[in-house]
């Protein structure tokens, strides 16, 4: 009926046996492990992949609430916990729920049907929470990343740029913003179709990362536009990086039987010379990018640099 691993934390051997018999009667076919004190419990928590924990309040040297707090600070923080309480301990049960327990079960009610009820409810609640967490994570990803290239989108670029400016203001560390626009992309997209266009954008993203360093970050705000935040010690150090990027994108891209040739125009703005806010840096780099489109080199610095 059910399998996995359940941990019972209780110093009373009789209660542990009662709970084990109840689990057997409801059809639990997985592993059941037992601990009688805090150290044993935390050791097993670190070793096992647990589906549920039955936790007694009265533990020698500590109490179930302290163990519950320790569990929530461990790798098993998401494992559902059912607090075992004595008769009349409703206040303890309420406090346990506040600290993250999924449910509580009075020891006078350790009958199979009650065990089944609380175990089913706890595992179903955890399943729902996991689904909600996954959905929330997906929404957060979609709000910050481009689904085609996996690069950060316009929102993440602005957040990262604001954060980087704040750090640089504090530590007086310069950096560069790159605004990049693909050349001949529309021609390739119109000639070979949208699948080819998507393939080009994904390959450009791969090449941007391959031509840079681990500390440099790239973004695709939209269309055939890319941006980057590049860490540098001084302005002179940016050219080798930009030249590598430019040369990498100029190499033909294979798409089926076709070899698609594009290029990239790169505008460079240097912090703090070309701006001290996200808006002024982006504006300066964008203006430099349009200048770069008119040059054979395809690279241009902001006019204030």
């Amino acid at each position: 009926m059910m399998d996995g691993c359940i941990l019972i934390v209780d110093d009373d051997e009789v209660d542990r046996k009662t709970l084990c018999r109840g689990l057997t009667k409801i059809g639990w076919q997985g592993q059941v492990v037992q601990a009688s004190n805090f150290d044993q419990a935390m050791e097993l928590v670190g070793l096992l992949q647990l589906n549920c924990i039955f936790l007694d309040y009265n533990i020698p040297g500590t109490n179930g609430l302290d163990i519950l707090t320790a569990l929530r600070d461990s790798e098993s923080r998401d494992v559902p916990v059912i607090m075992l309480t004595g008769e009349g301990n409703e206040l303890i049960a309420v406090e346990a729920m506040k600290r993250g327990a999924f449910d509580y079960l009075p020891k006078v009610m350790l009958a199979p049907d009650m065990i089944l009820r609380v175990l089913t409810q706890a595992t179903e609640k955890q399943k729902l929470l996991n689904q909600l967490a996954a959905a929330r994570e997906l929404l957060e990803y979609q709000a910050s990343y481009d689904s085609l290239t996996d690069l950060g989108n316009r929102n993440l670029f602005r957040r990262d740029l604001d954060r980087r400016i704040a750090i640089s203001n504090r530590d007086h560390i310069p950096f560069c913003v790159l605004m990049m626009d693909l050349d001949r992309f529309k021609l390739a997209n119109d000639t070979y179709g949208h699948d080819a266009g998507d393939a080009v954008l994904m390959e450009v993203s791969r090449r941007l990362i391959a031509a840079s360093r681990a500390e440099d970050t790239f973004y695709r705000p939209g269309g055939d536009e890319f941006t980057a935040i590049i860490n540098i010690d001084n302005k002179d150090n940016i050219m080798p990086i930009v030249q590598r990027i430019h040369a990498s994108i100029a190499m033909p891209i294979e798409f089926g039987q076709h070899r698609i040739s594009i290029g990239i125009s790169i505008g460079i703005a240097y912090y703090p010379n070309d701006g001290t806010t996200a808006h002024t840096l982006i504006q300066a780099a964008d203006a430099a990018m349009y200048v770069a489109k008119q040059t054979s080199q395809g690279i241009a610095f902001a006019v204030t640099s």
Side-chain angles (χ1 to χ4, degrees), residues 193-208:
H194 293 298
D195 287 346
D198 288 348
V200 167
L201 293 171
M202 288 189 288
E203 178 61 15
V204 166
S205 302
R206 188 194 67 79
R207 292 185 185 186
L208 288 173

Side-chain angles (χ1 to χ4, degrees), residues 78 123-136:
D78 294 329
T123 53
E124 287 299 318
K125 181 179 178 181
Q126 184 60 54
K127 182 179 178 180
L128 178 60
L129 289 175
N130 290 342
Q131 292 172 343
L132 291 173
R136 184 164 52 250

Side-chain angles (χ1 to χ4, degrees), residues 134-263:
R136 184 164 52 250
E137 184 176 342
L138 177 60
L139 287 174
E140 290 173 355
Y141 175 85
Q142 292 173 335
S144 300
Y145 290 89
D146 172 47
S147 60
L148 179 64
T149 64
D150 281 336
L151 296 180
N153 62 16
R154 189 182 305 274
N155 295 331
L156 185 59
F157 172 57
R158 289 301 298 263
R159 291 200 301 270
D160 285 354
L161 183 54
D162 286 336
R163 187 180 305 113
R164 182 55 199 268
I165 289 171
I167 293 172
S168 295
N169 282 337
R170 183 192 66 199
D171 300 335
H172 307 291
I173 301 174
F175 66 93
C176 280
V177 171
L178 307 184
M179 298 294 290
M180 298 171 281
D181 194 70
L182 298 184
D183 304 323
R184 302 181 297 279
F185 174 77
K186 185 177 186 304
L187 176 61
N189 197 58
D190 292 345
T191 302
Y192 302 110
H194 293 298
D195 287 346
D198 288 348
V200 167
L201 293 171
M202 288 189 288
E203 178 61 15
V204 166
S205 302
R206 188 194 67 79
R207 292 185 185 186
L208 288 173
I209 294 172
S212 63
R213 307 159 304 171
E215 63 265 30
D216 302 325
T217 50
F218 292 85
Y219 310 83
R220 182 190 171 218
D224 60 347
E225 177 187 348
F226 293 84
T227 60
I229 300 173
I230 305 294
N231 298 316
I232 56 169
D233 296 326
N234 58 70
K235 181 181 172 182
D236 295 335
N237 293 342
I238 191 62
M239 279 306 293
I241 299 171
V242 172
Q243 288 170 341
R244 281 200 307 271
I245 291 173
H246 195 272
S248 175
I249 304 304
M251 298 292 291
I253 295 173
E254 304 287 341
F255 179 74
Q257 303 299 314
H258 306 290
R259 288 167 58 85
I260 302 175
S261 294
I262 61 169

